[in-house]
Amino acid sequence: MELLFLGEPMIEFNQTTPDGPYVQGFGGDTSNAAIAAARQGASVGYLGATGADVFGDLFDGLWRGERVDTRAVLRMEDAPTGLYFVTHGPQGHVFSYRRAGSASSRYGVRHLPHDLLKQAKVLHVSAISQAISDVACDGVFEAIDIVRKAGGLVSYDTNLRLKLWPLARARAVIEATAAMADIVLPGLDDARLLTGLETAGEIADHYLALGARHVALTLGADGVLYANRDTRERIAPHVVKAVDATGAGDAFDGAFLAELLATGDGVAAARHANAAAALAVCGYGAVAPLPHRADVLALLEKEKGN
């Protein structure tokens, strides 16, 4: 398969209106990104663990329906699938997590499928998966090492969650991991905290200097800055009616990787992913609004005509 995603799948309960009912959905940044990539037509597999519970059954059905290869997903009898709740208010969406002792937090070095990792063109991992436990963090580093030694590429989202670990530890681990990555996918606010740098250009230069071949820095309402060693381009945002930004960054990651593998063109991949992320904020939940390839191409064509 082309793309392997390693991380923490979580069941989502999203309150779509204040004081309203919670709607069950799916989340976990790397799982969302895997589905986003699959909806763009990439060949995708997932590595990780769920509980041997009803929520694990739901994920199994979801991934199979999205054509995500699940042969390496473990079902743990003694650990549950993680959960989170989303509420919405004047300050945006607020997350509450139930992940302590989850199956994902126990997935580590001894569980990794070496054969699949050696075959992957790209492995995508996230700082969240490193933050949930020492076992999971060690597993991410080992997976990266296996892929690099086999000649594959590593993609890394620097997703920073300060509720999971202190900033000093996050900085150390994320900086070390970014130095092993070929593709770095940071968000501006997180990157400012992690690097101490302010401007998008400085941050892109920082990750390129660590060794990245591609840096796609998401800028929220200001679009994206894509940079490699020869080129950089600022990509303007799309104007959409946003209702929930829960999975926007994950939509970007998956669409970027799928398009980069399909075209080999980082700028084209960033433009494509920028459009995918815009469409992903137009519905509630992390997975349901993730666009299919035809939707992304239609938005790009529409913008081209304006």
Side-chain angles (χ1 to χ4, degrees), residues 245-296:
T246 301
D250 309 330
F252 184 93
D253 290 357
F256 181 86
L257 294 173
E259 194 67 10
L260 183 64
L261 279 178
T263 66
D265 184 337
V267 174
R271 289 175 182 157
H272 189 88
N274 186 46
L279 291 170
V281 304
C282 295
Y284 285 102
V287 169
L290 293 173
H292 291 81
R293 182 170 181 79
D295 303 318
V296 178

Side-chain angles (χ1 to χ4, degrees), residues 28-288:
D29 60 343
T30 58
S31 175
N32 300 339
I35 293 167
R39 290 187 181 183
Q40 301 310 306
S43 172
V44 174
Y46 198 76
L47 307 181
T50 62
D53 51 28
V54 64
F55 298 129
D57 294 340
L58 290 173
F59 261 114
D60 186 62
L62 170 72
W63 287 324
R64 291 177 186 276
E66 297 288 349
R67 293 183 293 181
V68 174
D69 191 313
T70 61
R71 79 183 84 167
V73 176
L74 300 183
R75 302 293 300 276
M76 292 190 179
E77 295 284 348
D78 58 347
T81 306
L83 311 174
Y84 70 95
F85 300 82
V86 186
T87 55
H88 301 270
Q91 305 304 316
H93 50 281
V94 177
F95 296 89
S96 301
Y97 294 93
R98 299 294 182 270
R99 58 167 34 118
S102 69
S104 295
S105 72
R106 299 186 186 187
Y107 184 92
V109 172
R110 67 189 180 92
H111 302 112
L112 294 172
H114 286 232
D115 289 346
L116 281 180
L117 286 163
K118 290 175 182 177
Q119 295 167 17
K121 290 184 178 179
V122 178
L123 169 70
H124 177 75
V125 296
S126 158
I128 292 177
S129 303
Q130 296 171 298
I132 59 175
S133 72
D134 291 344
V135 169
C137 188
D138 291 346
V140 169
F141 278 122
E142 180 69 12
I144 288 172
D145 191 52
I146 294 167
V147 169
R148 293 179 75 198
K149 285 179 178 176
L153 302 180
V154 173
S155 168
Y156 186 49
D157 188 324
T158 62
N159 249 333
L160 178 63
R161 296 292 184 271
L162 291 176
K163 290 182 179 180
L164 292 175
W165 52 0
L167 181 58
R169 176 169 167 74
R171 280 176 170 163
V173 172
I174 291 172
E175 190 82 348
T177 312
M180 302 174 184
D182 304 280
I183 302 159
V184 179
L185 304 171
L188 181 60
D189 291 341
D190 287 353
R192 284 172 170 163
L193 285 172
L194 289 166
T195 65
L197 301 171
E198 183 63 24
T199 71
E202 289 173 328
I203 291 165
D205 288 339
H206 175 80
Y207 288 116
L208 290 171
L210 288 179
R213 303 184 195 183
H214 305 273
V215 177
L217 176 65
T218 53
L219 309 174
D222 293 322
V224 179
L225 175 66
Y226 169 80
N228 60 34
R229 292 166 194 173
D230 303 313
T231 303
R232 68 183 54 205
E233 182 166 330
R234 190 75 169 259
I235 300 165
H238 296 273
V239 179
V240 295
K241 186 177 180 181
V243 298
D244 182 7
T246 301
D250 309 330
F252 184 93
D253 290 357
F256 181 86
L257 294 173
E259 194 67 10
L260 183 64
L261 279 178
T263 66
D265 184 337
V267 174
R271 289 175 182 157
H272 189 88
N274 186 46
L279 291 170
V281 304
C282 295
Y284 285 102
V287 169

